[in-house]
Amino acid sequence: MQRMLDVDTRGQGLYEVTGRIDTWLREIGAVEGLLTLLLRHTSASLLIQENADPEVQDDLKAFFERLVPPATDPSMAYLRHTYEGPDDMPAHIKAALLPVSLSVPVWDGRMRLGTWQGVYLFEHRTRPHRRQIAMHFA
Amino acid sequence: MQRMLDVDTRGQGLYEVTGRIDTWLREIGAVEGLLTLLLRHTSASLLIQENADPEVQDDLKAFFERLVPPATDPSMAYLRHTYEGPDDMPAHIKAALLPVSLSVPVWDGRMRLGTWQGVYLFEHRTRPHRRQIAMHFA
Amino acid sequence: MQRMLDVDTRGQGLYEVTGRIDTWLREIGAVEGLLTLLLRHTSASLLIQENADPEVQDDLKAFFERLVPPATDPSMAYLRHTYEGPDDMPAHIKAALLPVSLSVPVWDGRMRLGTWQGVYLFEHRTRPHRRQIAMHFA
């Protein structure tokens, strides 16, 4: 069973998709099996993270902005792939550091996530993008 | 086939679980298939790493302590999610940087790891925790 | 279905394996299913990244060289596992930061990658190595 999940983003940050994945699992009548998610882009990421306090998501975003600042930052002067904007090459680097695919066991029709875990798309680009997650259940 | 694996941790560091996973694969009579591991927490990680020299594990821990110091470190003053202790938000950041799920082909009843690879739970919190790994074999 | 893919590397950098994986999927007559890749080493990584502009790969390599410099760099003086050369422990650290396993849905006999995505082996050691990727399709 495969399906594409479109996610519209409006700037850098985390976008939760847990509910939409649960809905798809219900639609296909999934009971027990393995869910695989693959993000089909090289300037955004998938992430399983805490779903309780939104400040966690702000702090995550702030950490990665400091670890990989825009190409206009003096510390990034060594970058050569800069013609797609100052946020582009840092986005590729963050996409290397964070997951592009996730594997989640499903039991009783639900992802076996922990209590505080949600599934997110982490957008690294500044401008709005339409992103695609390939979902696979077997 | 699914099973929960509990791992008790006593502070930051790597805890090897290779042997316990092998035992489970034997118990269920696994021969050929795919093993999936999902850690059900957002302040610890899974990791496949070198199992020979324990200094590798110490150095890994030291690197990540420097890359993501405690919230009390002046360089981390921008963090806002700090009320669960100085090790909490850095733990979430490390959990973003390191794997939450792993996929391991199984052949002849054994994980197809390389000679020097072991499977570890990487604890990022200071206090003792009971952690759960969801194991799935199909 | 399982197969080992050997990759010969000649120093640090990205080596594309997309075409060789596609070839294997054709050979076994794969139509729809899940492809799993596991790198059987702790000093190299797998990576899905942009396949268009080679400068992206150079910049990725440059970023990780700066994030994790050789053990001879004064900032890395705390490392203890150094007897296998100044590139060895940094290679283990990069192998922790970047993927060791990847899961890719297959549809119509092809990996469901995005237009700009390729699959790479990211070598972190300086000297030539023969690397093995365990491929699994089901």
Side-chain angles (χ1 to χ4, degrees):
Chain A
M1 283 286 195
Q2 303 210 1
R3 176 80 60 87
M4 286 296 167
L5 183 69
D6 287 334
V7 183
D8 290 317
T9 63
R10 305 163 308 280
Q12 299 179 8
L14 280 77
Y15 298 81
E16 185 157 17
V17 291
T18 320
R20 295 179 64 196
I21 297 168
D22 281 338
T23 299
W24 180 64
L25 290 173
R26 267 197 308 275
E27 280 174 16
I28 63 172
V31 179
E32 195 158 337
L34 180 65
L35 173 73
T36 302
L37 305 172
L38 173 73
L39 183 66
R40 304 180 74 221
H41 306 276
T42 61
S43 55
S45 301
L46 295 175
L47 194 58
I48 292 179
Q49 261 294 333
E50 149 137 4
N51 58 9
D53 180 354
E55 288 188 343
V56 170
Q57 301 168 33
D58 294 338
D59 284 352
L60 279 172
K61 193 180 144 200
F63 173 83
F64 283 99
E65 278 174 2
R66 281 163 175 77
L67 185 65
V68 195
T72 44
D73 191 280
S75 71
M76 302 301 277
Y78 64 90
L79 294 180
R80 297 197 295 160
H81 177 83
T82 54
Y83 60 86
E84 293 183 50
D87 62 324
D88 182 63
M89 191 58 223
H92 290 306
I93 294 170
K94 291 176 201 166
L97 282 167
L98 294 162
V100 66
S101 73
L102 292 173
S103 301
V104 182
V106 170
W107 203 352
D108 289 335
R110 293 174 59 88
M111 292 186 279
R112 295 294 281 162
L113 298 171
T115 311
W116 309 108
Q117 288 182 314
V119 183
Y120 296 86
L121 186 147
F122 195 165
E123 176 61 68
H124 305 312
R125 298 300 306 268
T126 303
R127 280 189 293 186
H129 280 77
R130 170 155 292 185
R131 302 301 196 173
Q132 271 198 330
I133 301 170
M135 302 190 291
H136 174 99
F137 178 78
Chain B
M1 283 286 196
Q2 304 209 3
R3 175 82 59 87
M4 286 297 166
L5 183 68
D6 287 333
V7 183
D8 290 316
T9 62
R10 304 162 309 279
Q12 299 179 7
L14 281 77
Y15 298 81
E16 184 157 17
V17 291
T18 320
R20 295 180 62 196
I21 298 168
D22 282 337
T23 299
W24 181 64
L25 291 173
R26 266 198 308 274
E27 280 174 16
I28 62 171
V31 180
E32 194 157 337
L34 179 65
L35 172 73
T36 302
L37 305 173
L38 173 73
L39 184 65
R40 304 180 75 220
H41 307 275
T42 60
S43 55
S45 301
L46 296 176
L47 194 59
I48 292 180
Q49 261 295 333
E50 148 136 6
N51 57 10
D53 181 354
E55 287 188 344
V56 170
Q57 301 167 32
D58 295 337
D59 284 351
L60 280 171
K61 193 181 144 199
F63 173 83
F64 283 99
E65 279 173 2
R66 281 163 176 77
L67 185 65
V68 196
T72 44
D73 190 281
S75 70
M76 302 300 277
Y78 64 90
L79 294 179
R80 299 197 295 160
H81 177 83
T82 54
Y83 59 87
E84 292 183 51
D87 63 325
D88 182 62
M89 191 59 222
H92 290 305
I93 295 171
K94 292 176 201 166
L97 283 166
L98 294 161
V100 66
S101 73
L102 292 172
S103 301
V104 183
V106 170
W107 203 351
D108 289 334
R110 293 175 59 89
M111 292 187 278
R112 294 296 280 163
L113 298 172
T115 311
W116 310 107
Q117 288 182 312
V119 183
Y120 295 87
L121 187 146
F122 194 164
E123 176 61 68
H124 305 312
R125 299 300 307 269
T126 303
R127 279 189 293 187
H129 280 76
R130 170 155 293 185
R131 302 301 196 174
Q132 270 198 330
I133 301 171
M135 302 190 291
H136 174 99
F137 178 79
Chain C
M1 282 286 195
Q2 303 210 1
R3 176 82 59 88
M4 286 297 166
L5 183 68
D6 287 333
V7 182
D8 289 317
T9 63
R10 305 163 307 281
Q12 298 179 8
L14 280 77
Y15 298 81
E16 185 157 17
V17 292
T18 320
R20 295 179 63 195
I21 297 167
D22 282 337
T23 299
W24 181 64
L25 290 173
R26 267 197 307 277
E27 281 174 15
I28 62 171
V31 179
E32 195 157 335
L34 180 65
L35 173 73
T36 302
L37 305 172
L38 173 74
L39 183 65
R40 305 180 74 220
H41 306 275
T42 61
S43 56
S45 301
L46 295 175
L47 194 58
I48 292 181
Q49 261 294 333
E50 149 137 5
N51 58 9
D53 180 354
E55 287 187 345
V56 170
Q57 300 166 33
D58 294 338
D59 284 352
L60 279 171
K61 193 180 144 199
F63 173 82
F64 283 99
E65 279 174 1
R66 281 164 175 77
L67 185 65
V68 196
T72 43
D73 190 281
S75 71
M76 302 300 278
Y78 65 89
L79 294 180
R80 298 196 296 160
H81 177 83
T82 54
Y83 60 86
E84 292 183 51
D87 62 325
D88 182 62
M89 192 57 223
H92 289 306
I93 295 170
K94 292 176 200 166
L97 282 166
L98 294 161
V100 66
S101 73
L102 292 172
S103 300
V104 183
V106 170
W107 204 352
D108 289 334
R110 293 175 59 87
M111 291 186 278
R112 295 294 281 162
L113 297 172
T115 312
W116 309 109
Q117 288 183 313
V119 183
Y120 295 86
L121 187 147
F122 194 165
E123 175 61 68
H124 306 310
R125 299 300 308 269
T126 303
R127 278 189 294 187
H129 280 76
R130 170 155 291 185
R131 303 301 196 173
Q132 269 197 330
I133 301 171
M135 302 190 291
H136 175 99
F137 178 78

